Amino acid sequence: MDVPHHGYRATAKPRARAAPPSGDPLLFEDTSSSGPPMGHQGYYSSGYSMSGVGGGVGNSGMNELFTDPMANAAVMYGSSLATQGKDMVNKEISRFMSVNKLKYFFAVDTKYVMKKLLLLMFPYTHQDWEVRYHRDTPFTPRHDVNAPDLYIPTMAFITYILLAGMALGIQKRFSPEVLGLCASTALVWVIIEVLVMLLGLYLLTVHSDLSTFDLIAYSGYKYVGMIFTVLCGLLFGSDGYFIALAWSSCALMFFIVRSLRMKILSSFPPDSVGTAASAKPRMRLYITVATAAFQPIIIYWLTAHLVR
C-alpha cells in the first residue's frame, strides 16, 4: 500500500513542474513573425490575441481602402471639387478687388507725392494731362504724375480724421462718438459719389478705361483741399477758412475736369450715329462738370462744423 502511494507522489511532482508540452499544434503553434511575450509562469500573455487581431483587421481595412477603385475615385473627385471651389473664390475676389491693380495704385515715391500735391493745389500751370501708356499698360504713378493713385487719398483721409479730432478738442467738443460720426460721414460721401459716377457712366454707355479704383482716387483727392481748408480756418479764423475753401474748391474742380476730360469726353461707342451721337457728348460734358461742381459742396459740408 505504501509503495503505490509513494510512486504516485513521485510521478505527480515532476509532472506539475514541467512546462506545457510543445508538441501540441492546436494550442501553441506560433504563426507570427516573432514570438509572443511570455509570463513569469511560462504562459503566454493575454495581449497577444487582442493586438494581433486588432492589427490585422486595421491593416487589411486600410489596404482595402487604398486599393478600392471607388474610394480612389471619390478622393480624386473631392480634390477636384476643392480645386474648382478655390479657383471660383479667387475669380470672384479678383472681379471686385485685384491685388495687382491695388499694388499699381500704391506704387508711389516721395517725388511723386510732392509733385501730385503741388498739382492738386496749383493745377492751372499744368499743360499735359494725358496718362502715358507703355504697350497698352499705363505707367505707374511714380513714373507719371497724371496717373491716379490711392496713397494720397488714403493718407489724406487719415490726416483729415486726426485733424478733425484736434479741431474738436480745441473747441472742447471732442468725443469718440462725434469723431466716429465725422469719419463715417466722410467715407459714406465718397461711396455715394463713386456709385453715382458708375451709374452715370453706365447709363451713358461710356466706353472708357476708368475703373472703380480710378473713381475712388479722383474722389479722394478732395481730402487734400479739406485739410488745407481746416488748417486755414484754425489758424486764421472764418475769413481764412472761406478763402481757403474757395481756393481749394476751384483748384479741385479744375483738376477733376482736366483729368476726366480725356477719359470721358473722348470715348464714343462705335454705334453712336445721328442725333443720339451728337447728344451724348453734351451729356458726358454735363456729368463731368457736375462731378467737379459737386466737390465744393462736399468740402464745405465736411469741414464747416470743424471751424467756428
Side-chain angles (χ1 to χ4, degrees):
M1 295 299 294
D2 294 337
V3 174
H5 182 73
H6 178 73
Y8 171 75
R9 287 190 300 174
T11 57
K13 192 172 184 180
R15 189 176 299 175
R17 292 179 179 179
S22 60
D24 193 351
L26 297 178
L27 297 177
F28 304 104
E29 182 179 0
D30 188 5
T31 58
S32 61
S33 59
S34 60
M38 302 290 292
H40 294 288
Q41 301 298 328
Y43 296 101
Y44 290 95
S45 61
S46 60
Y48 166 74
S49 59
M50 295 299 294
S51 61
V53 173
V57 173
N59 293 333
S60 63
M62 294 297 294
N63 292 333
E64 292 178 358
L65 177 62
F66 286 106
T67 57
D68 189 3
M70 296 298 295
N72 291 333
V75 171
M76 295 178 61
Y77 183 71
S79 301
S80 177
L81 286 180
T83 304
Q84 292 178 2
K86 181 180 178 181
D87 294 340
M88 186 178 299
V89 171
N90 293 334
K91 183 179 179 180
E92 292 297 325
I93 293 176
S94 299
R95 286 180 56 190
F96 299 97
M97 183 176 296
S98 176
V99 178
N100 293 330
K101 291 183 179 180
L102 200 59
K103 288 181 180 179
Y104 164 82
F105 286 95
F106 283 93
V108 301
D109 54 9
T110 305
K111 183 179 179 180
Y112 166 81
V113 172
M114 296 302 298
K115 292 174 64 176
K116 195 73 169 188
L117 291 177
L118 290 176
L119 180 61
L120 289 172
M121 299 307 300
F122 306 97
Y124 308 106
T125 58
H126 192 64
Q127 300 296 328
D128 185 14
W129 291 87
E130 189 172 358
V131 178
R132 294 182 297 170
Y133 285 80
H134 175 68
R135 295 179 181 178
D136 297 334
T137 302
F139 280 27
T140 57
R142 70 164 62 98
H143 298 112
D144 186 10
V145 70
N146 295 323
D149 72 285
L150 290 176
Y151 176 80
I152 292 178
T154 302
M155 294 296 104
F157 177 79
I158 296 174
T159 306
Y160 163 73
I161 299 303
L162 297 177
L163 186 61
M166 185 183 71
L168 293 174
I170 292 175
Q171 302 170 16
K172 308 297 182 182
R173 296 188 294 119
F174 176 80
S175 67
E177 292 79 10
V178 175
L179 188 62
L181 180 62
C182 181
S184 59
T185 303
L187 188 60
V188 167
W189 271 115
V190 172
I191 296 175
I192 293 176
E193 183 179 357
V194 171
L195 291 179
V196 170
M197 281 289 296
L198 290 175
L199 180 61
L201 295 176
Y202 174 76
L203 294 178
L204 294 177
T205 62
V206 176
H207 299 273
S208 66
D209 56 350
L210 277 175
S211 64
T212 306
F213 290 139
D214 292 327
L215 296 179
I216 293 175
Y218 287 123
S219 178
Y221 285 136
K222 70 171 61 69
Y223 293 118
V224 177
M226 291 165 59
I227 294 171
F228 175 72
T229 303
V230 173
L231 283 176
C232 290
L234 294 177
L235 294 176
F236 306 107
S238 59
D239 294 336
Y241 169 78
F242 285 107
I243 294 175
L245 177 63
W247 179 271
S248 59
S249 299
C250 293
L252 183 60
M253 285 192 297
F254 187 85
F255 173 82
I256 293 295
V257 171
R258 294 302 300 269
S259 298
L260 296 180
R261 183 173 65 90
M262 294 293 180
K263 294 181 176 295
I264 295 181
L265 297 182
S266 61
S267 60
F268 295 94
D271 56 346
S272 57
V273 293
T275 307
S278 62
K280 284 183 178 180
R282 291 199 300 268
M283 295 300 298
R284 295 173 188 184
L285 178 61
Y286 293 157
I287 192 173
T288 304
V289 174
T291 302
F294 195 60
Q295 305 302 316
I297 301 176
I298 303 179
I299 293 177
Y300 177 78
W301 181 266
L302 296 177
T303 57
H305 67 283
L306 300 177
V307 179
R308 290 184 179 180

